[in-house]
C-alpha cells in the first residue's frame, strides 16, 4: 500500500489548518460586508458543465480534468473551477426569478486539475471565489475587483499588482478573432500541435499557450484593446473610472486573456510581486462572463466574479513574513493526583467548564504530576487546576495562574464563577 498522499495533494494539520480557518473566516466576513452570501455547489458535476462552460479548447478541458464514468455510466468530472457550477445552480434554482438582483454569492472549497505539481500548483487546490449574477452595471465589476483587492489588504499583504484588460463584446471579439487568424496563419508550421487546432477553433487560446509563449509572433499579435468597438470601450472606461473613484491602483495589460473561454469585457488578475514568487505569481483571476448562463440554456444573464488560490494566498503571506494570530492556547489544564474518585471528579469538572465554553484539557497518558505541569506549560494553559485526594475530600481545588504563578484555593462549587472571572469575563 502506498502511504503517501497522491501527487499534487497535501494534508493540512493543526497550525496549518488553523491558519486556513483564520483566513477563511476573514474572507467570509469581508464577503458579508459586501453583501455576498455563501453558495455550496457539488464537488463533481456532469462533465458537459465544464466542457461547455470552461470551453472545449482550453487546457483545463483538454488536459487537466479528472473525468470518470460513474457506476451508472454517466460522465462525471471533479470540478476544476467554481463558476460553471454556480451558473448551473443559478439556472436550476431559478435564481433569475429572485427579487433581489444581482445574486451575489461566494464559495470556498477544493478544485481539481491534473497539472504538473510545483510550488503553488497542486492537483487538489482550493479556491475562494465570488460571483455576481444578473447585472451588467460596470460598477459591479468594480465592486468585485474592490472585494478582491480588499482580501489582500485585510490580511496585510502589500506586494500585489492588479492587472486589468477588456476582452470586449461579441462584435469586438469577432473582429479580433479574424485578425488573430490572419496574423498567425503564416506561422502555422512553427506553432505547437495544440495551437494549430486552436488557431481554427479559438485563436484567442493561442495567446495563452504555455508551449509557444516565446514565439516571436506572440508579441506582435493583434491586441484585443485595439479591436474594441465604442460600446466596449465605454464599458471599460466606466470600470476604470469606478476603480479610480475608489483609489484602487491598476495596470492595463492588453495581453491579459485568461485561460477560460467564458469571458467578455472585463478581465483581471492580481499578481504577487514579493520576491520569491516564480512562475505561479497569479494569486487571483476573474472577469465578466455575460454569455455563460445563456450558453447553458438559461435566460440571458450577465455575470462577473473571481477566484483566488488559497495555497497561493498563503505563499504570499509567507513571502511577506506575515504572522496571523492563530496561537493555540488553553484557558486551563486540570492536573490530577489520584485514582478513580479524583479522575471521576476531574471528568465532571472538565465537562461542566466546557459547557461554559472554557477551553480546557486534561492528561490521558497516566503522567505524573510534574509531567502534567509540563504538559500544561507546553499547551500554553493560562490556568492550572490541581485536584488531588486531599482537595477532593475538602471539596476544593488549587487554581494556579501560569502567568503570575499565584495560587488560590477555590471551593469546587465556585470554580466556574472564579475561573470565568479570572479569564476576564469570558462570555458564556
Ligand atoms: P483561474 O484563473 O483558472 O480562474 O483560477 C483562479 C486562481 O486559482 C488562480 O489565479 C490561482 O491562484 C488558483 N489556481 C488555479 N489552478 C491552480 C492550481 N493547480 N494550484 C493552485 N492554485 C491554482 C478560475 O478558476 C475562474 N473560475 C475564476 C472566475 C470566477 N472568473 C469569474 N468568476
Amino acid at each position: 500500500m502506498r502511504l503517501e498522499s497522491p501527487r499534487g495533494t497535501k494534508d493540512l494539520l493543526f497550525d496549518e489548518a488553523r491558519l486556513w480557518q483564520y483566513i477563511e473566516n476573514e474572507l467570509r466576513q469581508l464577503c458579508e460586508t459586501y453583501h455576498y452570501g455563501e453558495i455550496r455547489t457539488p464537488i463533481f458535476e456532469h462533465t458537459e458543465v465544464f466542457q461547455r462552460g470552461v470551453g472545449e479548447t482550453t487546457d483545463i478541458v483538454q488536459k487537466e480534468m479528472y473525468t470518470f464514468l460513474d457506476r451508472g455510466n454517466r460522465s462525471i468530472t471533479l470540478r476544476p473551477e467554481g463558476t460553471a457550477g454556480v451558473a448551473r445552480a443559478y439556472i436550476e434554482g431559478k435564481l433569475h426569478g429572485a427579487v433581489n438582483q444581482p445574486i451575489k454569492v461566494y464559495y470556498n472549497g477544493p478544485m481539481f486539475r491534473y497539472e504538473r505539481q510545483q510550488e503553488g500548483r497542486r492537483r487538489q487546490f482550493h479556491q475562494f471565489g465570488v460571483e455576481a449574477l444578473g447585472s451588467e452595471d460596470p460598477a459591479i465589476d468594480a465592486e468585485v475587483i474592490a472585494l478582491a483587492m480588499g482580501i489582500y489588504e485585510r490580511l496585510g499583504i502589500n506586494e500585489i499588482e492588479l492587472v486589468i484588460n477588456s476582452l470586449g463584446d461579441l462584435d469586438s471579439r469577432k473582429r479580433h478573432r479574424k485578425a488573430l487568424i490572419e496574423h498567425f496563419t503564416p506561422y502555422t508550421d512553427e506553432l505547437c500541435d495544440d495551437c494549430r487546432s486552436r488557431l481554427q477553433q479559438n485563436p484567442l487560446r493561442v495567446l495563452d499557450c504555455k508551449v509557444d509563449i516565446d514565439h516571436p509572433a506572440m508579441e506582435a499579435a493583434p491586441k484585443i484593446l485595439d479591436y474594441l468597438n465604442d460600446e466596449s470601450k465605454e464599458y471599460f472606461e466606466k470600470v476604470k473610472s469606478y476603480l479610480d473613484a475608489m483609489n484602487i491602483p491598476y495596470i492595463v495589460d492588453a495581453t491579459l486573456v485568461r485561460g477560460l473561454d467564458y469571458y467578455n469585457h472585463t478581465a483581471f488578475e492580481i499578481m504577487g510581486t514579493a520576491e520569491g514568487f516564480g512562475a505561479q505569481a497569479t494569486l487571483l483571476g476573474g472577469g465578466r462572463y455575460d454569455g455563460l448562463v445563456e450558453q447553458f440554456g438559461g435566460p440571458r444573464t450577465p455575470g462577473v466574479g473571481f477566484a483566488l488560490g488559497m495555497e497561493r494566498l498563503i505563499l504570499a503571506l509567507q513571502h511577506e513574513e506575515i504572522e496571523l494570530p492563530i496561537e493555540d492556547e488553553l484557558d486551563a489544564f486540570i492536573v490530577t493526583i489520584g485514582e478513580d474518585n479524583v479522575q471521576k471528579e476531574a471528568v465532571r469538572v472538565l465537562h461542566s467548564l466546557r459547557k461554559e465554553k472554557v477551553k480546557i484539557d486534561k492528561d490521558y497518558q497516566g503522567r505524573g504530576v510534574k509531567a502534567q505541569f509540563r504538559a500544561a506549560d507546553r499547551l500554553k494553559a493560562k490556568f492550572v487546576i490541581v485536584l488531588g485526594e486531599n482537595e477532593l475530600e475538602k471539596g476544593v481545588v488549587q487554581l494556579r495562574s501560569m502567568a503570575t504563578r499565584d495560587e488560590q484555593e477555590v471551593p469546587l462549587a465556585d470554580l466556574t464563577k472564579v475561573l470565568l472571572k479570572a479569564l476576564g469575563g469570558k462570555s458564556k
Side-chain angles (χ1 to χ4, degrees), residues 165 207 218-219 221 223-225 252-258:
N165 191 19
L207 299 178
M218 283 289 188
E219 210 176 321
K223 307 275 183 293
I224 178 73
L225 281 186
V252 176
D253 179 354
T255 66
L256 177 75
V257 292
R258 309 275 302 125

Side-chain angles (χ1 to χ4, degrees), residues 208-338:
D208 196 35
C209 178
K210 288 165 195 152
V211 181
D212 290 327
I213 188 164
D214 293 323
H215 191 283
M218 283 289 188
E219 210 176 321
K223 307 275 183 293
I224 178 73
L225 281 186
D226 296 328
Y227 291 81
L228 295 187
N229 58 15
D230 288 345
E231 258 179 31
S232 301
K233 267 188 208 150
E234 194 190 324
Y235 195 94
F236 194 38
E237 286 310 314
K238 280 192 181 155
V239 174
K240 287 192 286 183
S241 74
Y242 286 126
L243 293 177
D244 294 337
M246 290 185 280
N247 266 330
I248 295 176
Y250 55 86
I251 292 166
V252 176
D253 179 354
T255 66
L256 177 75
V257 292
R258 309 275 302 125
L260 304 90
D261 274 353
Y262 44 61
Y263 293 112
N264 65 327
H265 286 301
T266 319
F268 60 96
E269 288 185 347
I270 295 178
M271 318 296 290
T273 55
E275 214 177 297
F277 267 117
Q280 310 311 321
T282 313
L283 300 179
L284 172 150
R288 180 161 277 286
Y289 48 88
D290 292 343
L292 181 60
V293 172
E294 207 175 351
Q295 200 187 327
F296 280 178
R300 215 196 91 68
T301 308
V304 59
F306 70 76
L308 67 82
M310 284 290 290
E311 287 79 2
R312 294 189 195 175
L313 173 65
I314 286 165
L315 277 179
L317 286 169
Q318 287 165 355
H319 288 325
E320 292 193 34
E321 293 177 14
I322 296 167
E323 301 268 340
L324 295 174
I326 53 152
E327 280 256 40
D328 177 28
E329 288 179 347
L330 281 179
D331 289 330
F333 189 90
I334 183 160
V335 168
T336 55
I337 316 158

Side-chain angles (χ1 to χ4, degrees), residues 81 83 113 115 120 122 127 131 258 262-263 282-283 305 309:
E81 60 101 50
T83 313
R113 296 184 193 176
E115 293 194 87
R122 300 199 175 281
Q127 282 187 345
E131 314 291 351
R258 309 275 302 125
Y262 44 61
Y263 293 112
T282 313
L283 300 179

Side-chain angles (χ1 to χ4, degrees), residues 5 9 15 25 29 46 80 89 100 109 122 138 151 154 162 190 208 226 269 276 287 291 302 309 324 360 379 397 402:
S5 75
T9 68
D15 278 359
N25 238 340
Q29 281 175 26
H46 294 294
N100 292 326
R122 300 199 175 281
I151 288 172
R154 189 168 176 124
L162 168 64
E190 297 165 27
D208 196 35
D226 296 328
E269 288 185 347
L324 295 174
I360 182 168
L379 299 171
V397 293
M402 296 298 271

Side-chain angles (χ1 to χ4, degrees), residues 12 16-24 126 310-311 314:
L12 289 180
E16 223 177 334
R18 211 164 255 125
L19 177 67
W20 281 63
Q21 281 176 1
Y22 180 91
I23 295 169
E24 286 163 356
H126 298 78
M310 284 290 290
E311 287 79 2
I314 286 165

